[in-house]
Amino acid sequence: MVKYVLKRIALMVLSLFLIMTMLFVLIRLLPNQVEAVQGGYDKALSDMREAWGYNKPLIVQYGIFLKNVFTKWDWGFCTTMGTYLQPVTDYILSKLPATIYINVLSLLFSLPLGIIFGITAAVYKNKWQDHLVQVFIMMFISVPSFVYAFLLQYFIGFKLNLCPLVLHSGSKWFSWQMIHSAILPVLALSFGPIAGQMRLIRAELTECLTSNYMLLARTKGLTKSQATVRHAFRNSMVPLMPSFLADFISIISGSMIIEQIFAVPGIGKTYLLSITQKDYSVFMACSMFYITIGLIAGILFDLSYGFIDPRIRVGSGKTNEL
């Protein structure tokens, strides 16, 4: 197990290094890396360009970049975003709280509902409760989240005037004004995860409920609810844990489109703006941020199987028999 984890971490570091190298080379080949200010360079910009080696060969620039990143955690400076020449690290960290805020609320709202409705559909399979859940699953999965975002804005925010159209980022996090303005983006972020969890839980729990060991549990005197909770539900959680981890990790990554629609000053919106505003240092840092999250998520997904079911030995390629 330890050997497998170390191997995966080593591969992750190698992948990060290769991707960062390719991104750096492609970005530095683009024109107008640091644009002039009013037709000329002021002293602060000239000093910053010199410190980061913009006037030196590409290989020297990359060496300076690696040194600054790994020794000072310095990803460069803002040129078109944030305050002028603001450190990229400070700028991105200032955007994380808004992303985490709406995604935590979305997770707290979607996870219980997805589990409850998924269990309901599995227990009442082929009955009206199951058919109703399946209708919602097809509707929420088939339509992209940004479509629901526009519909929520139009009907609930504009027509009914029940919620603000955008997030009030200037308010305190747990004030009613802030929570009220976060209702629409939270709902838009929640529909997809709710449908995905309902579909997965229904499929896995239905299979477990029809297994032979459930019949054996009933013959030993357990009620249907006891057998479902103690055996079926626990066994169905093994393949479902990666999806729950994905929802948890999305708290940090956020949603670029939803944040743009509801004016959430988060990391997702920052990533999109870094492309349109050609702030390459911010784009580089955001890209590595998302890539790192994705690689770490892959390792956590694999390890989660072993924690949920001790019979599974991650990295051995087999499952121990009882």
Side-chain angles (χ1 to χ4, degrees), residues 107 111 114-120 122 137 193-208 228 231-249 300-309 312:
L107 182 64
L111 191 59
I115 293 175
I116 292 172
F117 289 129
I119 294 175
T120 302
I137 290 175
I194 289 175
Q197 290 158 12
M198 287 192 298
R199 182 179 63 176
L200 290 174
I201 292 175
R202 179 191 178 276
E204 295 297 333
L205 189 56
T206 299
E207 182 179 354
C208 292
T228 301
H231 298 284
F233 184 71
R234 179 182 177 185
N235 291 336
S236 66
M237 286 296 102
V238 175
L240 293 176
M241 184 53 63
S243 67
F244 295 154
L245 282 174
D247 294 335
F248 180 76
I249 292 173
L300 294 178
F301 291 166
D302 292 341
L303 296 179
S304 65
Y305 288 104
F307 286 111
I308 296 300
D309 192 344
I312 300 176

Side-chain angles (χ1 to χ4, degrees), residues 96 228 282 309 318:
L96 275 178
T228 301
V282 176
D309 192 344
K318 60 182 180 180

Side-chain angles (χ1 to χ4, degrees), residues 40-68:
Y41 295 108
D42 60 10
K43 187 177 186 306
L45 181 58
S46 299
D47 294 341
M48 195 68 73
R49 286 176 58 88
E50 183 65 27
W52 276 83
Y54 280 94
N55 301 320
K56 297 178 181 178
L58 185 61
I59 187 66
V60 178
Q61 294 183 35
Y62 189 50
I64 296 173
F65 173 78
L66 292 178
K67 179 182 178 182
N68 289 332

